[in-house]
Amino acid sequence: MFGWLDCCNSYSQSYCDDFAEEFNTFFLPSPLPQWPKGKDFATGKICLGDIEVVKITNFDKIWSCNPSRGKAKGVSFYRPVGFPDGFFSLGDCCEPSNKKSRGCYALAAKCASVDVMGSLGSSPLEKPLDYSLVWSSESRRDGGGYVWSPNPPKGYKAMGFVVTVEPNEPDVEEVRCVRVDLTESCEVGEVLFDNNSLLSRDQFYVCETRPCERGMRCDGVPVGTFFCSRDRNWDDELSVSCLRNLDSSLRAMPTLEQIHALIDHYGPKLYFHPDEVYLPSSVSWFFENGALLYEQGKEKGLAIDSKGAVLPGGEENDKEFWLDLPDADGGGDYVKRGNIESAELYVHVKPVSGGTFTDVVMWIFCPFNGPSTIKAGLWSYTFDRIGQHVGDWEHFTLRLSNFDGELQSMYFSEHSGGGWLDASELEFAEGNKAVVYASKHGHASFPHEGCYIQGSSKLGIGARNDCAKSKYSVDSSARYRVVAAEYLGDGVVSEPHWLQYMREWGPTVVYDSASELEKILNHLPFFIRFSVENLIELFPTELYGEEGPTGPKEKDNWFGDERC
């Protein structure tokens, strides 16, 4: 297994300690286990077709740069070192100063075979012809720094930039450029550095890069380098690229046995609020306890068997069918409350970043979503009906490196979006099992206890998402079911019939939100007075009515990347 600890073996302990201190390096709470053997997962190297890549996590610091104005944080530039024989750097890396993380990572590449020339009749990797100076800075505080763009030969693309502390052009041996058919276009991600200069000639931006097309069917592989520019208008194609995985076999993805080992090791503990009324259940419990299938034009609902065999399949939501609770006499109120003893996480495993990472997406089902609560300063108000709907599907996602099986980050899904958190920002229950908090009534996922506001955080007004530990919890490492892993091929994972149901899991709901909001306007603090129309704009659209929620396979993130 190739990773940070293995890289350190070839260096003195004092060097590793200095490196960890410089990066404020985060380590997972527990060591990684020995993963079950199978194909190329967690072997340290990944074949992308004509080239092979390894993940480098050992670096020499080159230079730090701080903004000339404002409160923005500085960044530090690093050079990957300690390459295995035959591997070459693709560019230097950049990290925000004092960021607590595992530090940078960068991919290094080599030709997969000495005889590989490719369809274009040329080597996969070539030295740049020379360099162009992109930006330079000299200050008493930071010293001198120079950022260079490699000029690739015709038919090749640069993957990153090279940083020096001397004005002399770097050696062409520093990096390799990649043959164009082995690359994918990329776009800027998070802005890491903004010089905040009043003078256009001094402006400088540094950004993360990511493939333009992302999702389980996309081939783009992020390299771990950065993009920089003196102009923030970077809508045109970037001067650097990502790699492309041409190996359709995806040999670095985990086998089914390895999937189970990963979930056993990382499966989070999911807490529901102590005052939660509408708890999760298994899908089969929901069906067995009276859920009904309705069809357009028919008044009577159809009972559903435990496996959902009566549910109509199909590739899209034609809005002809929906599910609903039984009526009050049939136990509707009982079903609303769910049954946490039966609850389980439904797991979709898929390749991302061209098969160099694995997303383990964990879905939880709740029969009912409760009413919303709004907050304005110290004052809160719970609606009678707004926010309620039948059938609530929520999820969170673990992103794991296929080089070593290490947890990279987690995605927490919310009603109006969501966001990624680095593993260093997570709370852990035990070992490397993170904690996830489901918000009261709405079940959106959050990384820590507290009250999260969806609306205007500046004004302190919006929909409340209250999260806290309680006796209501589900251990996803023990109570889960793998329902889909398409890359494993037909027949390896048996998808349940209900997963093919692409219609609504609840009836369409429309609320008279204006009249409900009128009731609370007079209770708002005097310094935040709104018209009903302006107040409505502050809250997630789901509060005002929606079509019945659809199931996991109908969501955009099933095939695509998570929305942020």
Side-chain angles (χ1 to χ4, degrees):
M1 191 162 54
F2 183 85
W4 158 253
L5 293 176
D6 300 287
C7 289
C8 282
N9 290 336
S10 60
Y11 292 85
S12 67
Q13 184 60 48
S14 61
Y15 179 90
C16 291
D17 290 343
D18 290 344
F19 181 79
E21 183 178 354
E22 169 64 39
F23 272 116
N24 197 14
T25 304
F26 165 81
F27 297 96
L28 288 170
S30 298
L32 299 186
Q34 184 67 46
W35 305 114
K37 300 295 183 182
K39 295 188 176 181
D40 294 339
F41 176 76
T43 60
K45 300 179 181 179
I46 296 178
C47 181
L48 303 181
D50 288 356
I51 61 175
E52 188 175 70
V53 292
V54 294
K55 184 176 75 171
I56 303 296
T57 55
N58 204 4
F59 294 84
D60 281 342
K61 182 178 177 180
I62 307 169
W63 174 60
S64 292
C65 181
N66 294 285
S68 57
R69 299 174 64 254
K71 299 180 179 179
K73 294 182 179 179
V75 290
S76 296
F77 297 92
Y78 298 90
R79 177 148 302 144
V81 295
F83 300 102
D85 289 344
F87 285 85
F88 296 96
S89 173
L90 299 174
D92 293 337
C93 297
C94 180
E95 278 277 288
S97 299
N98 301 318
K99 175 183 177 183
K100 183 179 181 181
S101 70
R102 286 176 303 281
C104 302
Y105 86 88
L107 300 189
K110 76 170 186 177
C111 298
S113 168
V114 294
D115 299 323
V116 164
M117 296 301 286
S119 60
L120 300 183
S122 53
S123 173
L125 303 173
E126 282 289 353
K127 295 180 287 188
L129 299 174
D130 52 23
Y131 296 85
S132 296
L133 183 63
V134 177
W135 189 76
S136 64
S137 174
E138 292 198 26
S139 71
R140 293 180 180 179
R141 176 175 51 180
D142 300 329
Y146 304 83
V147 182
W148 304 84
S149 175
N151 294 319
K154 184 177 180 181
Y156 289 80
K157 286 275 194 177
M159 299 287 106
F161 295 80
V162 176
V163 181
T164 67
V165 293
E166 300 292 341
N168 302 323
E169 186 173 316
D171 194 312
V172 293
E173 293 288 351
E174 286 286 350
V175 294
R176 291 295 184 268
C177 300
V178 180
R179 203 175 62 220
V180 67
D181 63 309
L182 306 178
T183 69
E184 287 277 0
S185 59
C186 65
E187 64 184 22
V188 299
E190 180 185 353
V191 176
L192 302 175
F193 180 77
D194 180 347
N195 197 37
N196 291 317
S197 176
L198 294 175
L199 302 175
S200 59
R201 62 181 172 82
D202 293 331
Q203 287 179 348
F204 183 56
Y205 304 94
V206 181
C207 311
E208 291 180 341
T209 61
R210 61 188 185 184
C212 293
E213 300 293 331
R214 299 179 299 280
M216 64 180 279
R217 294 172 174 171
C218 300
D219 301 324
V221 177
V223 178
T225 56
F226 62 89
F227 172 76
C228 62
S229 174
R230 300 181 69 163
D231 184 355
R232 191 151 188 167
N233 297 320
W234 45 60
D235 292 335
D236 296 331
E237 184 176 350
L238 301 186
S239 59
V240 295
S241 295
C242 294
L243 293 174
R244 181 185 180 193
N245 190 354
L246 295 180
D247 183 5
S248 59
S249 68
L250 297 175
R251 289 185 54 83
M253 289 293 294
T255 64
L256 185 58
E257 182 184 9
Q258 291 167 337
I259 289 172
H260 288 300
L262 290 166
I263 297 173
D264 178 68
H265 185 74
Y266 288 119
K269 189 163 188 178
L270 176 60
Y271 282 105
F272 289 81
H273 194 274
D275 298 327
E276 183 59 74
V277 177
Y278 307 106
L279 291 165
S281 77
S282 68
V283 169
S284 59
W285 183 91
F286 179 60
F287 293 160
E288 291 168 350
N289 282 271
L292 298 171
L293 171 68
Y294 285 86
E295 184 177 359
Q296 200 72 252
K298 297 183 179 179
E299 293 186 6
K300 189 175 181 180
L302 180 66
I304 307 170
D305 60 288
S306 62
K307 296 182 178 180
V310 301
L311 299 178
E315 294 299 321
E316 61 182 17
N317 178 18
D318 57 13
K319 305 185 185 302
E320 291 294 316
F321 297 88
W322 65 93
L323 305 185
D324 205 350
L325 302 170
D327 59 28
D329 293 337
D333 289 339
Y334 170 72
V335 177
K336 277 185 181 181
R337 298 188 187 96
N339 180 268
I340 198 168
E341 290 78 16
S342 71
E344 56 187 353
L345 280 295
Y346 299 104
V347 179
H348 179 209
V349 186
K350 62 179 184 176
V352 292
S353 298
T356 57
F357 286 87
T358 294
D359 272 6
V360 177
V361 189
M362 295 190 150
W363 293 89
I364 188 81
F365 175 74
C366 295
F368 197 73
N369 191 97
S372 298
T373 298
I374 68 164
K375 176 177 169 62
L378 299 177
W379 178 81
S380 295
Y381 176 85
T382 300
F383 292 112
D384 293 331
R385 293 184 61 248
I386 289 180
Q388 290 184 345
H389 61 78
V390 175
D392 190 26
W393 280 103
E394 301 292 344
H395 78 281
F396 51 88
T397 298
L398 308 174
R399 180 155 290 178
L400 309 169
S401 169
N402 289 346
F403 289 97
D404 49 23
E406 186 178 30
L407 176 65
Q408 180 80 14
S409 54
M410 277 188 66
Y411 182 84
F412 294 83
S413 175
E414 304 167 16
H415 290 297
S416 296
W420 288 99
L421 280 187
D422 186 85
S424 62
E425 301 174 275
L426 303 176
E427 176 185 337
F428 290 90
E430 59 175 304
N432 293 336
K433 302 177 192 290
V435 175
V436 178
Y437 294 93
S439 62
K440 180 183 174 184
H441 289 181
H443 315 124
S445 57
F446 293 91
H448 304 287
E449 293 183 271
C451 177
Y452 298 83
I453 301 296
Q454 284 179 272
S456 172
S457 57
K458 184 177 181 179
L459 294 173
I461 181 170
R464 290 184 67 122
N465 289 276
D466 291 288
C467 300
K469 280 189 175 75
S470 75
K471 64 181 180 180
Y472 305 123
S473 66
V474 182
D475 179 0
S476 69
S477 69
R479 292 165 57 183
Y480 72 92
R481 178 181 175 187
V482 178
V483 295
E486 293 91 339
Y487 71 91
L488 290 176
D490 295 338
V492 178
V493 173
S494 178
E495 295 188 7
H497 187 83
W498 57 258
L499 188 61
Q500 319 310 320
Y501 173 71
M502 310 302 253
R503 284 81 171 184
E504 286 93 350
W505 285 69
T508 297
V509 181
V510 179
Y511 305 114
D512 185 7
S513 55
S515 64
E516 288 237 30
L517 291 174
E518 285 278 11
K519 299 176 185 177
I520 65 172
L521 280 177
N522 293 332
H523 295 279
L524 289 176
F526 73 94
F527 56 89
I528 41 176
R529 298 286 183 177
F530 296 93
S531 66
V532 171
E533 292 77 12
N534 290 335
L535 192 61
I536 287 175
E537 291 176 0
L538 288 174
F539 301 117
T541 56
E542 291 90 343
L543 296 191
Y544 310 117
E546 59 179 333
E547 295 179 345
T550 53
K553 208 166 185 177
E554 181 69 6
K555 308 295 187 187
D556 291 340
N557 72 301
W558 186 269
F559 294 107
D561 201 1
E562 301 287 2
R563 60 177 181 166
C564 296

